[in-house]
Amino acid sequence: MRTPRPLPAAIALVALGAVVAVAVWRPWSGSADAVGGPAQITVSRSQCGQGWTGAKTGRQTIVVHNTGDAAAEVDLVEMSSNKVYGEVEGLGPNTSAPMDVQLGAGRYAIRCLIEDTDAITAPTVTVAGDGEGGPAAVAVTKNDMLPLVKQYEAAVAGGVADLAVKTDKLRADVDAGNLAAARTDWLPAHLAYNSLGAAYDAFGDFADKIDGSAGFHPLEKGLWHNASVAALKPIADQLAADVQGLQHDLPNEQVDPNDLGLRAHEVMENALQFELTGENDQGSGTSLNTALANLDGTAKVLAILDPVLKPRDPDLAQVQKWESRVRALLTAHRSTPVARLDQTSREQLNGAVGELLELLAPVAAICEVRRSS
Amino acid sequence: MTGVGRRSFLRGALAGAGAAAVTGLTVSADAATSTAVAFHGVHQAGITTDPQKQAIFASFDVIAASKGELAELFTTLTDRARLLTAGGALPPLGITAPPADSGVLGPDMPGDDLTITVGVGASLFDDRYGLKGRKPAKLTAMKEFPNDSLDDSLCHGDLSLQLCASETDTVLHALRDIARHTRGAMQLRWRVDGFQSPPRPSGTQRNLMGFKDGIVKPEPADHDKLVWVGQGNGEPAWTDGGSYQVLRQIRMLVEFWDRVSVGEQENMFGRRRDSGAPLDGNSESDIPNYSADPTGGAIPLTSHIRMADPRTPDTAASQFLRRGYNYDKGTDSVGDLDMGLLFCAYQQDIARQFEAVQTRLIDEPLVDYIRPVGGGYFFALPGVRDSNDHFGRSLLA
């Protein structure tokens, strides 16, 4: 299981007298200070970033040295655009770390983020030259994300309500001994769960109960391998009960603002690992249909994130292009078990999902919640 | 490219007296000592380059949806190859993406003699990209010879990559980087990781049957008539500077082989196992004198070296440049070791060279101990001439 990423604030210790030193050094960067080794520019909380000399455009490495007694986060911000060009997270006391940055002409400042302390922005350094700036983005803050999290929670609540109706129907089929109907109703219920846009620990223990070692897949195995009604009844009953449990529990489950960006790529990471491989298939042959539901869930998350992504992700059009291509391929092959795909189709699917994932990984990075004040 | 500039500055800085003493932080030994093989040239690197120790041979199916996407693939391959072979840190992406580099080679990747050689297979010239009329004249799908046991999943492909470097991590890093940037345009079909064995105790490397392999090489002066495709020969003009690449995954049945007497082994190869000398000579560089041995009393008429290259005037044009690597792929279903030779040969004309030799070798005694299972024919593209050029420019023009 993936370890949830902590909020940046959570990694900082209580900071008293935290001191951050900044130096610029790269032996092949051609700057004068390279000859004498890294310049030690020490700045205290009241002097954060002072003494940053030799700044220029182009590639360079800034070495950040924390001489204080508390962990800190350091950002390099271009002040007129408010874009972050580099960051070092979790810089422990008495440690240093390089920040590889590529700067264009502009007005830059070091920002020191120390827990229990407002952000300290150093005096602005004007950088002039012809060098081209690298990729940068305005930091996404908790406040940016909170309204989106509310939308996401509402969407999930709606999805779970729909799921509950479908798992109840599935239970009724099995309880009535109508396994043909159950086989028909299993798929919409399973797709309803898989289009929620959830991955990994999203629903805590419920995830495993509903679509892990218990729940949908044991039921699938039985339904497609002639299990008896008596054997399937307890599984179907438990599944419906667990979905209701999830529905009741949902208001208590708080979505971490960081999770939204992570979901944008993790749902399809799961689809690639478990559906496109056929690993999750217990006999229904519906892996690609499930992957399509996963794509729907991802699209839902992307739509919610759009206001945050639009001004920040220059590849958003590419994300949409590859999402459409994956959708077209999955739709064309949705009824074919993975193992029966011809090699070309399978490679097209694997490649398109892989390309989409490469484009979704930046979404997660951009949407990582950062402090700016 | 930024990476290139930074690397050349580094080399310049280190060459300067005492420049290495700038280390307040360390310059890694690798970054400081490793070398970069020039990427730009009339021919691709990795063909006449002295074989580096480690290799990955990978074949891909191209899934690009259009000719435009195929062109993008070649541009991306060029950009990645240029960056990776130059070494240095990849351009930073700030907070907008995960790290640009897998980190496998550390923050400043060494050049490490990396070469990236790109080839195209006959299947790329089907209906998909409108390239039917552009196919190199001598390029076909790999032929199946009578003693072959080809597995289709280990054969053919639209595009081949030969990645060679001094260290294993360098070639793996390059493969990961290239795959990461080309997922939507090509998918891995098969791959073989290979290694060069060091001289034991001297001379040419030994294959996994214990014999020196690849002793005879064309003279550099003959490369224009044996290795490089030039104008004429019925070839389309865009192929100028390229070379045909034949890859064959030849499994060696080493357990069986190890149960054979050394005399029988030597008769099958036609060379002494210990020295590599032809059976009528004393050292590996001795040239066998077949006219003095017309009945095969010293070097059997059925031996590998004699069948492959009878050294007659009319077989001289069938010589080719070998650049093979030993491989080791684990175990098979009866617990025998799956290892052998990734045969790699560069030439001007597959039918005149590799296929002529392979035809002479049909039913040689050695076939009981080897099993060709995979590979493919490819055309190694002309070199990328300069920083404005890219793979496939002349092909797609």
Side-chain angles (χ1 to χ4, degrees):
Chain A
M1 285 287 162
R2 185 165 186 160
T3 310
R5 294 178 201 180
L7 278 172
I11 53 174
L13 305 171
V14 174
L16 284 173
V19 178
V20 175
V22 177
V24 180
W25 181 83
R26 200 73 165 172
W28 50 89
S29 64
S31 61
D33 56 2
V35 179
Q40 287 295 331
I41 307 163
T42 304
V43 288
S44 69
R45 189 189 275 120
S46 56
Q47 299 170 309
C48 171
Q50 270 191 20
W52 178 24
T53 56
K56 57 187 175 47
T57 60
R59 292 274 291 274
Q60 55 210 287
T61 294
I62 294 172
V63 176
V64 187
H65 186 56
N66 182 355
T67 57
D69 58 5
E73 180 185 332
V74 184
D75 288 353
L76 178 61
V77 186
E78 202 284 313
M79 297 307 286
S80 29
S81 63
N82 206 26
K83 286 183 175 174
V84 178
Y85 277 76
E87 82 171 343
V88 172
E89 292 180 287
L91 185 69
N94 255 325
T95 61
S96 55
M99 189 195 279
D100 196 8
V101 294
Q102 182 168 338
L103 307 181
R107 298 167 50 244
Y108 294 88
I110 295 288
R111 186 172 285 160
C112 306
L113 300 150
I114 301 157
E115 187 160 88
D116 291 341
T117 305
D118 287 345
I120 306 161
T121 303
T124 300
V125 173
T126 300
V127 175
D130 298 333
E132 212 177 308
V138 177
V140 170
T141 66
K142 201 169 177 176
N143 284 342
D144 293 329
M145 292 301 288
L146 286 177
L148 309 188
V149 167
K150 291 267 173 266
Q151 282 181 45
Y152 175 70
E153 286 172 341
V156 170
V160 170
D162 173 54
L163 169 67
V165 171
K166 288 171 172 160
T167 45
D168 282 351
K169 186 153 190 293
L170 185 55
R171 170 174 57 185
D173 293 338
V174 175
D175 288 359
N178 188 351
L179 296 190
R183 273 190 292 274
T184 305
D185 290 333
W186 178 87
L187 182 62
H190 190 235
L191 297 183
Y193 181 81
N194 273 277
S195 61
L196 291 175
Y200 290 94
D201 288 327
F203 299 132
D205 292 343
F206 284 110
D208 192 50
K209 289 178 182 170
I210 294 170
D211 199 28
S213 54
F216 279 110
H217 288 301
L219 193 55
E220 176 191 10
K221 192 173 183 180
L223 282 172
W224 270 269
H225 291 90
N226 303 314
S228 66
V229 172
L232 292 178
K233 196 172 170 306
I235 305 175
D237 290 352
Q238 189 61 48
L239 172 61
D242 285 331
V243 167
Q244 279 166 10
L246 170 64
Q247 193 176 8
H248 293 137
D249 181 61
L250 217 47
N252 307 321
E253 297 271 340
Q254 287 216 317
V255 174
D256 186 317
N258 262 334
D259 281 356
L260 219 39
L262 291 177
R263 300 275 159 81
H265 86 108
E266 286 181 346
V267 173
M268 289 310 291
E269 295 281 3
N270 276 4
L272 180 62
Q273 262 186 66
F274 302 113
E275 307 304 340
L276 266 67
T277 54
E279 187 178 324
N280 272 354
D281 185 6
Q282 294 297 316
S284 68
T286 57
S287 296
L288 297 182
N289 231 323
T290 306
L292 186 56
N294 292 152
L295 187 70
D296 288 338
T298 303
K300 214 177 289 174
V301 172
L302 287 173
I304 290 170
L305 286 173
D306 195 60
V308 160
L309 288 176
K310 211 168 230 164
R312 291 180 177 84
D313 188 351
D315 289 332
L316 213 49
Q318 286 292 307
V319 173
Q320 278 148 10
K321 170 187 161 176
W322 286 94
E323 196 231 305
S324 303
R325 187 170 297 185
V326 171
R327 182 174 301 283
L329 288 164
L330 286 172
T331 304
H333 300 297
R334 64 197 299 176
S335 307
T336 309
V338 172
R340 272 198 250 140
L341 284 177
D342 62 84
Q343 187 172 345
T344 301
S345 301
R346 193 152 185 187
E347 287 177 341
Q348 285 170 341
L349 253 178
N350 294 341
V353 171
E355 187 74 40
L356 178 61
L357 282 169
E358 295 297 340
L359 289 156
L360 292 175
V363 168
I366 289 168
C367 293
E368 190 180 330
V369 171
R370 290 172 166 87
R371 279 181 67 193
S372 66
S373 57
Chain B
M1 299 302 294
T2 318
V4 176
R6 294 175 66 250
R7 291 302 293 180
S8 26
F9 189 93
L10 174 57
R11 280 195 296 277
L14 290 169
V22 298
T23 50
L25 296 174
T26 55
V27 175
S28 78
D30 276 351
T33 57
S34 82
T35 52
V37 177
F39 173 67
H40 295 132
V42 172
H43 307 298
Q44 288 194 68
I47 297 174
T48 55
T49 309
D50 283 341
Q52 303 94 318
K53 281 188 295 181
Q54 303 297 333
I56 294 175
F57 291 88
S59 166
F60 295 83
D61 288 329
V62 173
I63 57 168
S66 63
K67 190 174 180 181
E69 286 189 14
L70 177 66
E72 278 173 40
L73 168 62
F74 280 123
T75 309
T76 303
L77 278 173
T78 311
D79 292 344
R80 299 325 296 174
R82 208 179 258 135
L83 283 167
L84 292 165
T85 55
L90 294 175
L93 301 177
I95 64 165
T96 66
D101 192 283
S102 63
V104 164
L105 300 181
D108 260 307
M109 58 174 170
D112 199 33
D113 297 318
L114 176 68
T115 55
I116 297 175
T117 312
V118 178
V120 291
S123 53
L124 191 69
F125 298 86
D126 61 11
D127 293 328
R128 287 172 292 166
Y129 307 112
L131 296 176
K132 257 190 161 156
R134 310 282 288 164
K135 192 158 70 76
K138 315 289 169 50
L139 188 60
T140 64
M142 183 174 69
K143 190 174 158 180
E144 179 151 18
F145 286 85
N147 309 115
D148 290 355
S149 310
L150 301 181
D151 171 347
D152 191 61
S153 68
L154 303 175
C155 294
H156 314 303
D158 294 325
L159 190 144
S160 73
L161 281 185
Q162 174 197 279
L163 311 174
C164 298
S166 296
E167 302 294 344
T168 309
D169 57 355
T170 303
V171 288
L172 282 172
H173 173 268
L175 181 65
R176 260 172 77 172
D177 181 276
I178 291 169
R180 178 180 183 176
H181 288 90
T182 57
R183 292 194 201 290
M186 64 182 195
Q187 286 283 295
L188 201 52
R189 180 179 173 88
W190 56 263
R191 90 172 227 241
V192 179
D193 297 355
F195 61 94
Q196 292 274 322
S197 298
R200 302 290 190 191
S202 60
T204 305
Q205 75 155 340
R206 291 177 187 276
N207 64 26
L208 295 172
M209 291 175 140
F211 280 75
K212 293 187 176 183
D213 200 337
I215 292 172
V216 179
K217 300 177 186 69
E219 293 298 325
D222 291 335
H223 285 173
D224 279 343
K225 60 181 189 201
L226 293 175
V227 178
W228 304 121
V229 171
Q231 301 289 352
N233 294 322
E235 293 287 358
W238 73 264
T239 60
D240 191 9
S243 181
Y244 288 95
Q245 178 194 51
V246 171
L247 302 178
R248 302 253 296 166
Q249 184 182 329
I250 302 171
R251 182 173 171 195
M252 294 171 168
L253 308 179
V254 294
E255 290 83 0
F256 186 14
W257 182 252
D258 289 346
R259 293 188 277 264
V260 173
S261 76
V262 72
E264 194 181 344
Q265 291 184 0
E266 290 177 338
N267 280 337
M268 279 190 259
F269 272 104
R271 291 186 180 276
R272 293 280 172 225
R273 192 174 77 159
D274 285 357
S275 66
L279 294 178
D280 67 347
N282 293 305
S283 71
E284 68 173 82
S285 57
D286 287 347
I287 295 168
N289 185 356
Y290 297 132
S291 55
D293 179 27
T295 58
I299 304 179
L301 301 177
T302 57
S303 67
H304 181 79
I305 64 167
R306 194 157 184 171
M307 290 176 81
D309 184 5
R311 294 179 185 262
T312 60
D314 55 326
T315 58
S318 61
Q319 217 192 347
F320 47 75
L321 175 66
R322 282 179 291 177
R323 211 172 181 285
Y325 281 76
N326 296 321
Y327 77 80
D328 169 24
K329 292 179 77 169
T331 43
D332 71 5
S333 60
V334 295
D336 278 349
L337 299 172
D338 183 356
M339 54 173 60
L341 175 72
L342 192 290
F343 172 94
C344 171
Y346 288 98
Q347 62 226 279
Q348 194 173 63
D349 180 339
I350 294 177
R352 188 191 88 207
Q353 295 169 278
F354 167 73
E355 285 188 349
V357 171
Q358 194 58 36
T359 300
R360 289 198 288 268
L361 288 171
I362 290 171
D363 293 337
E364 61 168 326
L366 197 59
V367 296
D368 293 342
Y369 304 90
I370 57 178
R371 181 169 294 194
V373 293
Y377 292 170
F378 300 93
F379 180 75
L381 298 171
V384 174
R385 311 281 164 120
D386 53 43
S387 56
N388 296 317
D389 194 9
H390 58 83
F391 287 125
R393 177 186 48 77
S394 56
L395 165 62
L396 297 176

